Structures are given as C-alpha cells and as structure tokens.
Amino acid sequence: MTIPNEIIDQIRLSTDIVELIREYVPNLKKAGRNWRALCPFHHEKTPSFMISSEKGIFHCFGCHTGGDAFKFLMQMDNLAWPEAVKKLAHRAGIVIREESDENLISKSEKQKVYDILENAGEFYHRCMVDSEDGSVALRYLKKRGIDETSIKKFCLGYAPRGLLLSAATKKGITLEQLIKAGIVTKTENGKIYEYMSERLVFPIHDAQGRIVAFGGRTLKDEQPKYLNTPETIVYSKSNQLYGLFNAIPKLRQDKKVIVLEGYMDVVMTHQYGVTNTVAALGTALTLQQTYMLLRYVGEITMLFDSDAAGEKAAKKALDVSLDTEPNPGVLKPILDKAKSALEVILNTELTAKVCVLPDGLDPDEYVLKNGKESLQEFIAKQEKPAIEFLIENAMKRIDITSVDDKAKFTAELIPFIKKVKNEVVRHAWIKFVSDKLKISEEAMLQEIKRQQKGGYKDTPEILKKPVTLMRSVEEEILQIIANFSQCRSMVTEEVFQIERNKQVCSFLLQDMHSSEIISRLDEEEARWFTELILEEKNYISPEQTLLNLLKDGKQKKLETERKQLEKEIVLMLDGNMPLDNSKMRLYHELNRQLKGTVK
C-alpha cells in the first residue's frame, strides 16, 4: 500500500515546522526571517540549527542534517518514512487513504528500488526461518550464539541458489529492475548471477530503516568470506553504517557510539544489550559516516579485535611507516586502522577514543563469553583518547633519545595533534609531547606552523569539511531566486549548466514550495539545498546582485564555450583538422563579446 501524493502535500501544508520542532526543541530563538537553536542531533555550544517556517525546512550547519517536517520526525523519533507521514497526519487531524500498490510502474525510480530490496529482504528472511534450505544458516547462527529475537530484529536471512529470480518474476519485478537494485548481475555470456546466493544475508538499513543493500557471509569454505551488493542509486557504502537504525535510540540517549568491525559483532552486542554499536561496511571509516554519527553523538570509540585476521583489511588503510608489534596484543594493523580512522574523525568535533580487545577475541566472542557488563567495564577501563593511544605506541617503537628519533616521533604525531579541534585539548597534547621529548612547547608550535605552511601535506581534499559559504555563481543565483520570488522572472533554466542546478531552478520557476522540492531530491541533494537556501546573506538590492551574477554567469559560459572551440581552432590552424569558416567566425565573435566590444 502507498500514500497518495496529494495526501502527503496536504500533511506538509498543514504542518508548521517551527511549532513541530518547538515540541522537541523548546529554546528556539528568532533570527531575522528564520529561527535558530542548539541542534538536537549533535552536541554544540553555539547554535547552528536553523528553521524556516516560510519554507518549511530546517538545516544544521554543524552536522549538516537538513530536510522538511517528515525528515525531522524521522530523525528525532527514529521512524521510517511511512510512520513519520502517519504521525504527522494524526497530529494534523488528516485521515490517510491508502491505495493499492501492487505494481511498481507508477513509482519513482528510487522508490521502486526500495520496494524491490524490501521484497528481497522478506524473501531471504522467510527462506531462512520457514524453509529447509535455510536450515544450514540457522544452524550456523545457533552455533555462533545468535537467538531468534536478534534474527528477527536484524531481519537476517538466507539466499537459496536461483530461487529469488523466480519469486520476483511472480511479483512482476523484472530482471532489469533486480539488476538496478544491485541484487543480481548478468555476465557477458548472459548468465544470471545472484550476489547473495547460498550466503547468510545481513540486510543493510539506512537511518530511516529502509533496506538499501545486503551483506552476505559464505557458509562454505570459499572466498570472499563476506560480500556486499554493489552501489546503486540508493546505496553508497561510504554513506552507511551497519546497525545504525537499530542503534539510534541508544546513541541519542548516551551520546556515545562504539564502532566495530563486522556484522556479527553488531548483532551479538545488540543481543546482549550493548545497543550503541555500529560497523563500517568493509571499509575504513569515512568522513560521510562521521558526519552521520555527529547527528547523534559527541564521542566515538573505535573497538578493535586483536587477532591477526585484520591484517589483510588493514593493508587498505593509510600507508604509515610502522614497525612490527609495539607490544604483545597490539598488532600493526590496529595502529594502521586507528590512524586511518583519526585522519577522518579529527576533521569533525567528535571526541575519538581507541580500545583493543584482549586474547584475540572478536567483540561478538567476547560478549558471548563474558557478558554485557564485562564488555562495558573493559571498554570503560581500557579505552584511551586516540592521540594518547598513538603517542603511547609511538614511544614503544621509537627511541626518543637521539635528535633524529625526536624528529621522527614528532613527524608521526603532529599531523594528528594539529587537527584536534579543541584548543585546550590540543595545547595539552603539545605540552605532553614536548615534555616527553624534553623540547620546548615553542619548538613544537613552530614545527606545527611549518607543516601547516606546506611542510606537511594535510588531509586529502576529499576528507576536508566542505566550506558552505564559498558558492558558485549558479548556486548564488539559486539562493536569490529561492529567497526572493520577485527575482524569478529575471532567470531561465538556460542560465544553468549543471543539471542539478537546472532542475532546482525549474522547480522554483514553477513556484514549488521548498519542502516539496526537497521531497523530489535525493538525501545528499536535499541536504545541499536546505543548506544553500538557509545561509544568511544580506543584500542591499537582491535584483541588482542577481543582475551582476547573471552577467558573471554569462561571461563564464562564454569563456567555457570559447575554450572548447579554441582547441578545434588550434587543430585547424596546424592543418590537423579541416578548416571550418563558421567556427572561425564564432570564435572571433566570442572573443569580441568577452572583450566587451559587443554590448
């Protein structure tokens, strides 16, 4: 069943987003045309959470969470989309009339994929709990200590070979749709291959509780042991964390998350009541994942198991010059992974800690053997601020008595220390290291400054936090026509070269409400749009500013056109391409326009 768009529009128009948010965040303050408050999704001291009653949207400039009333309720109450719609409908006194939704043809491309994945998840789960084929997976889970409640909670399943395709076909789902959803693939010789075939299946849910992908563990002696379905229009592994949807209530309560390394670790720790655990999806922690966690917590503990199985995965981490084992129980891969995670975490305001399990146990084995209280007590006693962890291990590996070794020591640690956001904490670590090395704090500070000027290559560009105030000409034009409707007649879609900007312009020229525009964008685009139009800018004259921007935009467009044409002209003049007089004339015309000789 699905809820008609006209009902969703009615709910949206009947909901005052400011009043809705005030029920959860009572300390709203007026800020010009908008409202401001401390963000409910992450810890902050300076308010960066903005709400626009006029546009029906919110955005936090700290953790980059944004959206409409539906998205706010989904985030605050940990609801899936249909539940948020129904809750807002009840609040507004609107009766929801659901309509049949048996075929997928009329739905958006993304919604089709969500539905197909949901169908597949239900199919895999039924196959495990209700069929003979799934008995092998059930026996494996029982052997690992996973109970029926956890199987149901995480919707675990089993994928019998070749049965999904026929089951999907009976529901009217085509092979092309299954391929687009990332469930099956077709080889060059025409063979159909199901990614999860004969594997224990772990559905991967997004923060709204929708299945976006699957992870599978082989139950045979074969490689790869774990396999994820490929990235699709609804799934990017760098943007998701396994177990996050189940963990959100506890994360909001404790403001602390424990990041583990595997699916089974998350399932087992949740089973034993440690429900603030999540896992990265076979990769090092990404900036997108840390921003996602920043919506719920202020502290992150990386819990590493200490066996050698992590060697292979750790080789994908940053290439850091380390010796072998610094001390018993702490292997090189753990240090590599800790450094890799810190490269990302220190770009946010999260407090990062590291903890290493003893005796070669994984978290799921540890909690099964010792219980919830023992695991929590161990983490509380053994976790250390991440930089302290790195310093201690560096001191075990590097003899700091010689000048060269002191330089090696600082070269390894300064790149991390200088990224610590809190000035007091950063200065404390500088003092700690300078005392250990018996050098002055001034010398440490000078070395940090030298590295910041280019002596050390800082975090890769892809990891840097985006600067929201630096906007392209096209984005600034969108800001003005979004906030000043009287300016829209001055703009056409042809002004824009970037497809996303052109699409949003089209919506604005149709006088579409901002919250409705958000509903037509994907999650990343919606976040970009809310941030774009809620940035506070003062214009003496928005009309004149727009005229100037349009002029700049036209010039950039002409410059782009000229550069593209210039390549062909050079080839013509060198005799490597037939002479085209019309293109020559166009090139000279573009030159005249750019020089301002033609008005």
Side-chain angles (χ1 to χ4, degrees):
M1 304 293 284
T2 188
I3 303 168
N5 287 332
E6 57 267 25
I7 298 294
I8 293 173
D9 290 339
Q10 186 182 352
I11 296 168
R12 183 183 288 114
L13 293 172
S14 301
T15 302
D16 183 333
I17 193 170
V18 172
E19 292 308 312
L20 171 67
I21 292 176
R22 199 191 299 277
E23 294 173 13
Y24 295 83
V25 187
N27 62 334
L28 299 185
K29 305 288 186 185
K30 201 78 170 72
R33 297 160 63 180
N34 301 320
W35 295 80
R36 189 195 299 272
L38 291 172
C39 180
F41 302 122
H42 81 289
H43 176 72
E44 63 177 4
K45 296 180 180 179
T46 304
S48 58
F49 184 77
M50 301 292 294
I51 312 106
S52 170
S53 177
E54 175 189 341
K55 296 179 176 63
I57 60 176
F58 72 93
H59 187 86
C60 175
F61 289 87
C63 66
H64 302 280
T65 304
D68 58 8
F70 299 113
K71 183 63 179 287
F72 178 81
L73 206 57
M74 288 162 70
Q75 292 282 350
M76 283 302 298
D77 291 349
N78 193 31
L79 301 177
W81 163 258
E83 295 170 326
V85 173
K86 290 173 183 177
K87 186 168 182 176
L88 281 181
H90 178 74
R91 183 178 179 275
I94 296 171
V95 177
I96 292 181
R97 171 180 53 82
E98 294 185 326
E99 57 187 26
S100 178
D101 186 33
E102 293 180 356
N103 76 54
L104 304 171
I105 296 173
S106 63
K107 293 189 175 182
S108 70
E109 286 302 304
K110 282 192 175 183
Q111 190 57 51
K112 289 178 188 178
V113 172
Y114 285 129
D115 287 345
I116 291 167
L117 292 168
E118 193 67 36
N119 270 307
E122 291 172 0
F123 172 79
Y124 292 143
H125 184 68
R126 285 197 309 272
C127 284
M128 185 166 74
V129 300
D130 294 336
S131 74
E132 182 62 29
D133 289 319
S135 59
V136 63
L138 280 173
R139 286 195 299 271
Y140 173 80
L141 289 173
K142 184 176 181 181
K143 182 181 177 181
R144 293 291 297 265
I146 303 297
D147 62 23
E148 291 182 8
T149 302
S150 293
I151 290 172
K152 185 176 180 181
K153 177 181 178 181
F154 286 90
C155 307
L156 304 184
Y158 177 74
R161 181 175 292 276
L163 296 187
L164 176 70
L165 184 58
S166 59
T169 302
K170 289 176 183 177
K171 288 195 169 190
I173 302 171
T174 67
L175 173 62
E176 289 70 25
Q177 288 174 325
L178 289 172
I179 292 173
K180 187 171 286 188
I183 299 173
V184 303
T185 187
K186 190 174 183 179
T187 63
E188 290 182 2
N189 60 11
K191 186 178 179 181
I192 307 302
Y193 173 74
E194 183 189 341
Y195 286 102
M196 293 293 103
S197 188
E198 297 186 323
R199 287 177 179 266
L200 170 63
V201 179
F202 298 83
I204 299 167
H205 296 83
D206 65 11
Q208 285 75 55
R210 299 171 298 195
I211 295 177
V212 293
F214 297 101
R217 188 198 192 282
T218 182
L219 298 174
K220 302 177 180 181
D221 185 18
E222 63 181 8
Q223 294 296 329
K225 184 184 289 187
Y226 282 93
L227 179 70
N228 284 358
T229 51
E231 297 198 350
T232 66
I233 58 172
V234 302
Y235 171 63
S236 170
K237 63 183 178 182
S238 64
N239 289 334
Q240 303 295 339
L241 288 158
Y242 183 70
L244 178 62
F245 178 70
N246 301 99
I248 285 173
K250 187 64 172 174
L251 300 186
R252 287 212 174 104
Q253 179 183 331
D254 291 357
K255 301 299 181 186
K256 175 177 179 176
V257 65
I258 301 171
V259 178
L260 309 177
E261 297 186 71
Y263 299 115
M264 201 65 75
D265 295 329
V266 173
V267 175
M268 185 65 83
T269 50
H270 277 247
Q271 179 175 306
Y272 274 79
V274 185
T275 57
N276 63 332
T277 59
V278 300
L281 296 166
T283 64
L285 198 69
T286 68
L287 186 64
Q288 296 94 320
Q289 289 166 341
T290 56
Y291 278 150
M292 191 181 301
L293 290 171
L294 194 58
R295 302 174 192 173
Y296 312 106
V297 303
E299 182 178 312
I300 178 172
T301 295
M302 307 294 299
L303 181 62
F304 297 114
D305 54 76
S306 60
D307 64 15
E311 282 279 1
K312 187 176 180 181
K315 288 176 183 176
K316 298 177 183 178
L318 288 180
D319 182 17
V320 182
S321 176
L322 295 171
D323 297 331
T324 52
E325 291 190 35
N327 67 312
V330 179
L331 301 176
K332 175 180 180 294
I334 296 172
L335 296 178
D336 285 351
K337 287 183 283 188
K339 287 196 170 191
S340 181
L342 269 183
E343 284 284 350
V344 174
I345 296 170
L346 291 176
N347 283 277
T348 72
E349 295 178 357
L350 286 167
T351 299
K353 295 185 178 181
V354 174
C355 185
V356 181
L357 285 171
D359 304 324
L361 294 176
D362 293 338
D364 70 306
E365 296 169 330
Y366 186 98
V367 76
L368 182 63
K369 180 180 178 181
N370 301 297
K372 170 186 175 181
E373 288 74 19
S374 177
L375 178 63
Q376 291 177 323
E377 183 180 341
F378 179 84
I379 293 173
K381 287 183 177 180
Q382 298 297 322
E383 68 180 354
K384 298 176 180 177
I387 292 185
E388 179 179 337
F389 174 83
L390 295 180
I391 289 173
E392 286 185 2
N393 281 284
M395 291 182 69
K396 288 182 175 75
R397 290 178 292 105
I398 302 172
D399 180 5
I400 56 174
T401 56
S402 72
V403 173
D404 287 345
D405 285 336
K406 287 181 180 183
K408 181 180 177 182
F409 189 89
T410 56
E412 185 171 311
L413 294 172
I414 284 177
F416 298 98
I417 292 175
K418 72 178 185 178
K419 291 190 183 78
V420 175
K421 297 287 184 182
N422 188 294
E423 294 280 352
V424 175
V425 174
R426 184 167 67 252
H427 184 266
W429 287 121
I430 291 171
K431 186 177 189 306
F432 180 82
V433 173
S434 60
D435 287 346
K436 290 291 180 184
L437 297 179
K438 293 182 171 55
I439 61 174
S440 69
E441 290 178 43
E442 181 61 30
M444 280 281 290
L445 289 169
Q446 287 299 322
E447 178 60 15
I448 289 174
K449 289 178 182 178
R450 185 188 71 80
Q451 291 188 10
Q452 287 175 333
K453 288 178 181 178
Y456 170 81
K457 188 175 180 181
D458 208 343
T459 308
E461 194 63 32
I462 192 170
L463 298 181
K464 288 186 180 295
K465 189 172 179 178
V467 182
T468 59
L469 295 180
M470 295 298 291
R471 293 293 182 188
S472 68
V473 170
E474 289 192 9
E475 287 178 317
E476 290 195 52
I477 292 172
L478 285 178
Q479 283 180 321
I480 291 179
I481 64 173
N483 288 298
F484 302 94
S485 57
Q486 72 271 22
C487 294
R488 291 174 190 172
S489 61
M490 300 166 63
V491 175
T492 65
E493 292 176 43
E494 285 66 36
V495 167
F496 301 93
Q497 293 180 283
I498 297 173
E499 192 57 39
R500 177 187 65 179
N501 298 343
K502 186 177 293 188
Q503 181 188 32
V504 170
C505 175
S506 172
F507 294 151
L508 290 169
L509 295 184
Q510 295 172 53
D511 287 328
M512 196 177 287
H513 196 268
S514 298
S515 57
E516 186 179 352
I517 292 175
I518 287 171
S519 70
R520 296 175 182 241
L521 303 175
D522 65 30
E523 187 169 353
E524 190 59 38
E525 289 172 341
R527 189 179 301 123
W528 160 79
F529 181 68
T530 56
E531 183 172 273
L532 182 75
I533 64 175
L534 285 181
E535 285 180 1
E536 294 181 326
K537 292 188 177 180
N538 297 315
Y539 302 99
I540 298 173
S541 168
E543 292 86 353
Q544 186 58 51
T545 303
L546 180 56
L547 283 173
N548 294 337
L549 288 168
L550 289 172
K551 183 178 178 182
D552 290 343
K554 182 179 179 181
Q555 183 170 4
K556 287 182 182 296
K557 191 173 181 181
L558 290 173
E559 286 173 350
T560 300
E561 191 175 349
R562 181 183 65 173
K563 284 180 182 178
Q564 291 173 342
L565 192 56
E566 193 170 52
K567 295 175 184 178
E568 294 184 46
I569 299 299
V570 171
L571 291 172
M572 291 178 197
L573 295 176
D574 289 343
N576 295 320
M577 185 175 175
L579 190 65
D580 187 329
N581 289 322
S582 62
K583 288 188 176 181
M584 293 290 290
R585 286 194 294 272
L586 177 58
Y587 179 69
H588 291 306
E589 178 67 20
L590 289 172
N591 275 326
R592 283 197 296 271
Q593 290 190 46
L594 286 168
K595 289 177 182 177
T597 56
V598 175
K599 300 295 183 182

